[in-house]
Amino acid sequence: MISFISSPDERKKIARIVLENLTDWFEVVENREKYIEDSAGWPFWAAIENDEPAGFLCLNQTGNETVELAVMGVCRKYHRNGLGRQLFEAAKEYAVKEGFSFMQVKTVRTGMYEDYDKTNEFYKGVGFKELEVIEDLWGPENPCQIYVMNLKSAVDVIGARHSYRGTYSSEPVPRKDLELIASCGLKAPSGCNKQTTELIIIDDKEVCNNVTNLIDPPVAKTAPALIVVLSKRINAYRDKCFATQDYSAAIENMLLAIVELGYQSCWYEGHITDDDRICDKIAELLGVPEGYDVVCLLPVGKALEDCKKPGKKPFEERVSFNRFGEK
C-alpha cells in the first residue's frame, strides 16, 4: 500500500529503515544520514507491506517549474514487485496536481556500477529522458547523469495556449528549438499526404526587421524569430485541394510546440493576406518562387507580458451529443 506520510519523525524512521537496507547504493554514512534528515521536510510517500516499511520516495522543489526526485529506495526483498513504480506514480500525480512542468533526477552514469545501471533502467522505464552528464559534480569516479521528464500532457498545453500580442524578450531562440517547432508543423496531417505546407525560419535579426517593417499596422516587431508559412495549391484528388486544412493543422502543431518549449506566438494570417497583400511583399523579400502563397506569420520568443486568456463560451453551449442541441 502506498501512503503519503505527513509526520516528520515517521518520515525519518521509514527512510532510515529503507536506506540502511540499501547500503550498496547508500554506502557513505554522511550522505545517508543527510538524506534521512532532509526527508523530514520533503513530500514523502511510503510503501507499506506486511505492516513494515518496504520503500519510500521523496520530492524536492528545485525551481518554480521543476521538482526533483530527491531520493527513493525499495528494500531488497521487495525488488521487482512493482513498488518502485507505484511510489513514482503517486509522486508524479502529486507533482502534476501542484502545477510543476518538469521532474528531474540525478544518478550515476550508466556503465559505472551494476546496481546503478539497474536504477537507471528503472528511471528510463517510467519515462525519464537523458539530459546531460556532469563529470565533476560528484567526482570523476561518479559522473552525474541527469534525467528529466516533462509533466505537461498535450491536453495541458492545449489549455495553456493563447494568442500573444505583447512584447517579446530580445533573447535569441536557439536554432534547435526553432527546428523542433518547424518539425512539429511538418508532422501534421495533409490531405492525401500531398504535403502542401512549407516553412521559412527567420532567426537573423535584420531579416526579421525587414519582414515586420512591411506590416502595417505593425505586429511582432520585437520577436527575435519568425516562422513564415508557405502553402502550395496541389489537388489531392480530382479537383479537390486541401491546402488550407493542411497549413492550418501545421500551424496549430507549431503553436502548441511553441508553448511547450516556453515561448509565445500568435497566428497572423488575415493581417497579412488582406486586400493590401502584405503577404506578397513578404514573399518577394524572401525570394519565394511562383506557385507558393505566404499565408501566415508566426513570431517566436519569450513573452515579457502576461498572456491574456480570452473568455470562452461554456462547453454545454457548444457541444451536443448524437443530435444537435441534445445534452
Side-chain angles (χ1 to χ4, degrees):
M1 181 177 67
I2 307 301
S3 301
F4 183 82
I5 308 299
S6 300
S7 165
D9 289 339
E10 186 69 11
R11 290 172 175 177
K12 290 197 290 185
K13 177 182 176 182
I14 293 171
R16 181 172 300 281
I17 290 171
V18 174
L19 295 187
E20 289 183 351
N21 185 257
L22 299 170
T23 53
D24 285 351
W25 285 269
F26 301 94
E27 62 180 337
V28 180
V29 175
E30 293 82 357
N31 294 343
R32 190 166 69 234
E33 290 298 320
K34 180 165 177 37
Y35 278 129
I36 293 168
E37 190 64 32
D38 288 345
S39 70
W42 288 333
F44 188 112
W45 292 263
I48 306 298
E49 294 289 314
N50 301 318
D51 295 325
E52 67 176 9
F56 78 100
L57 183 153
C58 293
L59 295 179
N60 179 34
Q61 183 174 348
T62 55
N64 291 333
E65 296 285 331
T66 306
V67 66
E68 181 177 36
L69 196 169
V71 59
M72 73 172 295
V74 174
C75 292
R76 283 188 174 275
K77 71 177 181 178
Y78 293 108
H79 281 189
R80 301 190 178 280
N81 283 349
L83 292 182
R85 185 175 289 271
Q86 292 175 43
L87 284 164
F88 173 76
E89 291 299 331
K92 180 182 177 183
E93 180 180 359
Y94 167 90
V96 170
K97 287 181 177 179
E98 290 296 307
F100 291 104
S101 298
F102 305 99
M103 185 183 293
Q104 66 169 320
V105 64
K106 297 184 183 75
T107 181
V108 177
R109 186 180 65 197
T110 298
M112 303 300 295
Y113 307 103
E114 183 179 353
D115 288 332
Y116 276 99
D117 289 353
K118 295 175 182 176
T119 299
N120 295 348
E121 287 303 312
F122 169 80
Y123 289 142
K124 289 187 284 187
V126 297
F128 281 100
K129 306 295 183 183
E130 292 183 3
L131 177 64
E132 64 177 328
V133 174
I134 303 178
E135 299 283 352
D136 56 356
L137 183 63
W138 298 331
E141 70 281 2
N142 294 308
C144 174
Q145 171 72 66
I146 299 178
Y147 290 107
V148 294
M149 173 183 290
N150 182 4
L151 296 174
K152 297 293 186 183
S153 70
V155 174
D156 294 323
V157 177
I158 290 169
R161 192 217 67 79
H162 306 292
S163 295
Y164 179 75
R165 297 180 176 86
T167 305
Y168 291 91
S169 165
S170 61
E171 177 185 345
V173 180
R175 181 161 287 193
K176 64 179 179 63
D177 287 353
L178 293 169
E179 291 174 345
L180 178 57
I181 293 164
S183 71
C184 289
L186 298 180
K187 289 174 182 175
S190 65
C192 295
N193 198 33
K194 293 301 182 181
Q195 302 176 60
T196 58
T197 305
E198 296 187 27
L199 309 170
I200 299 175
I201 299 172
I202 304 174
D203 58 359
D204 182 286
K205 186 59 180 174
E206 183 178 355
V207 181
C208 283
N209 289 339
N210 290 340
V211 170
T212 56
N213 285 340
L214 294 172
I215 303 174
D216 185 35
V219 298
K221 298 287 287 186
T222 57
L226 304 169
I227 297 177
V228 178
V229 181
L230 311 178
S231 179
K232 192 171 186 179
R233 296 195 63 80
I234 302 172
N235 285 344
Y237 69 95
R238 287 182 248 160
D239 61 345
K240 305 298 183 184
C241 176
F242 300 109
T244 300
Q245 293 89 333
D246 293 352
Y247 75 71
S248 297
I251 290 169
E252 185 64 13
N253 271 16
M254 289 189 286
L255 289 171
L256 294 175
I258 287 167
V259 172
E260 168 74 16
L261 293 173
Y263 305 107
Q264 291 293 345
S265 186
C266 184
W267 183 334
Y268 291 110
E269 181 175 352
H271 194 67
I272 65 171
T273 59
D274 207 347
D275 292 341
D276 52 6
R277 300 297 295 174
I278 293 171
C279 54
D280 294 340
K281 299 174 184 178
I282 294 174
E284 182 180 1
L285 175 69
L286 299 178
V288 177
E290 288 188 21
Y292 290 90
D293 294 317
V294 171
V295 294
C296 178
L297 181 76
L298 297 179
V300 184
K302 297 280 189 180
L304 290 180
E305 303 166 27
D306 291 336
C307 188
K308 297 178 181 178
K309 181 178 179 180
K312 296 287 186 180
K313 293 180 181 179
F315 178 90
E316 295 76 12
E317 288 188 19
R318 301 175 66 189
V319 178
S320 302
F321 286 90
N322 301 313
R323 286 179 60 84
F324 185 85
E326 291 188 3
K327 305 302 179 185

